[in-house]
Amino acid sequence: MEILKVSSKSAPNSVAGAVAGVIREEGSVELQAVGAGAANQAIKAIAIARGYLAPSGIDIVCIPAFASVVIGDEERTAIKLIVEPR
Amino acid sequence: MEILKVSSKSAPNSVAGAVAGVIREEGSVELQAVGAGAANQAIKAIAIARGYLAPSGIDIVCIPAFASVVIGDEERTAIKLIVEPR
C-alpha cells in the first residue's frame, strides 16, 4: 500500500488530492503522521478527499492505528490512517 | 447519535473506553474535537478502541468531517469523527 507522509505543514487540500488519486488508482492508501499537527492535517485531508471521491460513488473511511517510525536516531510513535472505500 | 467532546487534555484510554461502550450500546458514536491537540487525542482513542472491540468481532472505522461549533461567542471549525462498525 502506498504511504503518504503528512507533516504539520502539509496543505490538507494537496494531501486530499493525492489521497483521491491513489484511491482511484490503487484502491487504498496509508497516511502517516508524527505529532498532533500532522495528525490534524491528515484528518482534514481525508475529510476533503471524501468530497472529491463522493461524486464518483466512492465512500472512503479511515482506520487509525499506531506505528513506530525512526526519525534520525529516535524512535517515534506515528499515527497511521489507512484509507479505503467502505 | 451520541457526541463525545474530546479536548487536547483528554486521556485517549478513557475516551477509548467511552467509545467502546457507546458502540456496544448504540452502534455508533461521534467524536468532536476543536484544535490539533484534540483531534490527535480523538484519533488515538479510536485506534485504542479498535483493540477493545476487536475481540468481540466489532471492526470500527471512522469517517472524518468538518463541523461548525460555537465556543463562547466565537465560531470555530471542529473536526467530527463518526465511528461505526464497518
Side-chain angles (χ1 to χ4, degrees), chain B residues 51-76:
Chain B
Y52 292 166
L53 292 165
S56 316
I58 303 172
D59 181 17
I60 54 172
V61 296
C62 85
I63 298 165
F66 296 102
S68 274
V69 293
V70 176
I71 297 176
D73 281 342
E74 250 186 301
E75 194 167 316
R76 298 279 305 270

Side-chain angles (χ1 to χ4, degrees), chain B residues 8-9 11-12 16 19 21 25 34 38-39 43 46 48 50 53 56 60 67 74 77 79 82 86:
Chain B
S8 59
K9 288 169 191 159
V19 166
E25 273 171 35
V34 176
I43 281 293
I46 298 169
I48 297 165
R50 285 181 55 78
L53 292 165
S56 316
I60 54 172
E74 250 186 301
T77 298
I79 297 286
I82 297 159
R86 200 173 211 164

Side-chain angles (χ1 to χ4, degrees), chain B residues 1-5 18 21-23 25-26 28-32 81-83:
Chain B
M1 198 185 306
E2 191 159 334
I3 297 178
L4 302 176
K5 292 186 182 175
V22 180
I23 292 281
E25 273 171 35
E26 298 180 23
S28 65
V29 63
E30 180 182 321
L31 301 189
Q32 203 176 77
L81 298 163
I82 297 159
V83 182

Side-chain angles (χ1 to χ4, degrees), chain A residues 35-37 39-40 43-48 50 59-66 79-81 84-86, chain B residues 35-37 39-40 43-48 50 59-66 79-81 84-86:
Chain A
N40 192 40
I43 282 293
K44 285 186 205 165
I46 298 168
I48 297 165
R50 284 180 55 77
D59 181 16
I60 54 172
V61 295
C62 86
I63 298 165
F66 297 101
I79 296 287
K80 62 177 184 183
L81 297 164
E84 311 180 328
R86 201 173 210 164
Chain B
N40 192 39
I43 281 293
K44 285 187 205 165
I46 298 169
I48 297 165
R50 285 181 55 78
D59 181 17
I60 54 172
V61 296
C62 85
I63 298 165
F66 296 102
I79 297 286
K80 64 177 182 183
L81 298 163
E84 310 179 329
R86 200 173 211 164

